[in-house]
């Protein structure tokens, strides 16, 4: 029987729409680190006025009778991280993320009415809100950022914004020293209460170029009952290379990691469509990738 004559039966069809994640960090709200003398895991970088902070019942609250703001360090910046902020109460206040680097500052700020403001060296870009939000997701993807408003039914894309500053921060020597902080400002009588702040790698909004990781004879690599796959994760704009594992008897996928490529110029690039082999004879990993970031060419590496 010829290959084109072999019948194939579809087991399932699925779009992994932002529903696989690899955890990168969180602001833990289990202990009251605001009122402690044993170290502050999220140190204050900036405080204006006298905002009152508290942590109780896994909630972080900022409020002030006369108004004020506070900015606390979350951690280091990675150009493809997504950040999620979930709100319990939000009234007469603003909140957001501030990215600081050697080449400038980039901020995404939300207010209680659902408006969004993005500011960097190129100026201020504003996106009016249609309704208050229960939370926000800020998804960086190399040269741009996608902002989602969390609503009752589903997340709503507010904006997909490109930035020369974000593009420059794909250079390893720059993003390694960049930081991301949480900023909250309250007007007189205002309140902001968060029950989640976390960041993660996401599988994107759709996938393409799925390939199994194989041995030198073409046999798919099977480890602990799971196949490992390279998948191009598509974002609102741009893409990057994810590594998934899959249990072949079920619709069970896990995001195991991601691949980024440096062609020797120090710039991390989201090249895709990787083909990966492990040669058991030479004990080397062999990789081919579509290096679209450096022209319509193929890249090759071995380890």
């Amino acid at each position: 029987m010829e290959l084109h004559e072999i019948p194939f039966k579809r087991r399932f069809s699925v779009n992994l729409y932002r529903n696989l994640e690899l955890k990168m960090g969180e602001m833990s709200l289990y202990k009251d680190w605001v009122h402690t003398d044993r170290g502050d895991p999220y140190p204050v970088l900036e405080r204006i006025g006298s905002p009152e902070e508290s942590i109780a019942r896994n909630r972080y609250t900022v409020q002030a009778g006369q108004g004020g703001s506070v900015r606390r360090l979350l951690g280091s910046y990675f150009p493809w991280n997504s950040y999620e902020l979930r709100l319990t109460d939000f009234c007469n206040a603003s909140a957001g993320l501030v990215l600081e680097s050697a080449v400038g500052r980039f901020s995404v700020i939300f207010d209680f009415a659902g408006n969004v403001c993005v500011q960097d060296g190129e100026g201020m870009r504003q996106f009016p809100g249609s309704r208050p939000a229960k939370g926000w997701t800020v998804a960086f993807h190399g040269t741009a950022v996608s902002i989602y408003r969390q609503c009752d039914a589903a997340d709503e894309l507010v904006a997909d914004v490109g930035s020369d500053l974000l593009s420059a921060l794909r250079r390893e020597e720059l993003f390694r020293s960049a930081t991301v902080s949480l900023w909250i400002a309250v007007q007189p009588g205002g309140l902001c209460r968060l029950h989640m702040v976390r960041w993660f790698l996401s599988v994107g909004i759709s996938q393409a170029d799925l390939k199994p990781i194989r041995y030198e004879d073409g046999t798919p690599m099977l480890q602990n009952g799971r196949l490992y796959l390279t998948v191009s994760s598509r974002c609102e704009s741009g893409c990057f290379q994810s590594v998934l594992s899959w249990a072949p008897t079920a619709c069970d996928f896990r995001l195991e990691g991601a691949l980024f490529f440096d062609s020797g110029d120090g710039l991390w690039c989201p090249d895709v469509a990787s083909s990966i082999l492990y040669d058991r004879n030479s004990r080397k990993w062999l990789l081919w990738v579509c290096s679209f970031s450096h022209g319509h060419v193929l890249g090759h590496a071995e380890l």
Side-chain angles (χ1 to χ4, degrees), residues 19-189:
N19 56 4
L20 295 184
E21 301 172 357
L22 184 63
K23 185 175 181 178
M24 301 296 283
E26 69 173 10
M27 177 179 270
S28 299
L29 305 177
Y30 310 107
K31 297 181 179 180
D32 186 4
W33 37 260
V34 171
H35 304 101
T36 182
D37 58 0
R38 302 183 64 182
D40 190 340
Y42 315 103
V44 174
L45 300 180
E46 181 181 70
R47 187 188 299 273
I48 298 174
S50 302
E52 301 172 7
E53 299 176 88
S54 61
I55 296 177
R57 298 166 59 184
N58 294 339
R59 303 290 190 269
Y60 171 49
T61 302
V62 179
Q63 56 188 340
Q66 301 301 317
S69 67
V70 61
R71 184 163 63 89
R72 287 185 172 270
L73 176 67
L74 294 179
S76 60
Y77 170 69
F78 184 68
W80 284 270
N81 273 352
S82 293
Y83 291 80
E84 183 180 11
L85 284 65
R86 291 190 184 178
L87 302 161
T88 301
D89 298 292
F90 201 35
C91 177
N92 293 331
S94 300
L97 300 172
V98 177
L99 162 60
E100 289 187 305
S101 73
V103 291
R105 174 185 282 202
F106 184 95
S107 61
V108 180
I109 305 299
F110 331 102
D111 68 19
F112 62 94
N115 302 305
V116 180
C117 176
V118 177
Q119 187 167 9
D120 60 6
E122 301 171 42
M124 181 183 296
R125 285 162 279 185
Q126 295 181 309
F127 303 90
S130 57
R131 56 185 136 172
K134 294 186 174 181
W136 301 87
T137 299
V138 178
F140 293 96
H141 42 91
T143 62
V145 62
S146 299
I147 303 164
Y148 299 89
R149 178 189 293 114
Q150 296 174 3
C151 305
D152 291 329
D155 286 4
E156 174 184 291
L157 177 65
V158 176
D160 185 66
V161 182
S163 168
D164 290 342
L165 189 150
L166 295 181
S167 183
L169 283 174
R170 291 180 299 145
R171 192 168 297 280
E172 184 174 8
E173 63 183 16
L174 294 176
F175 77 70
R176 289 293 189 191
S177 61
T179 61
V180 177
S181 53
L182 173 68
W183 177 86
I184 296 175
V186 288
Q187 301 172 17

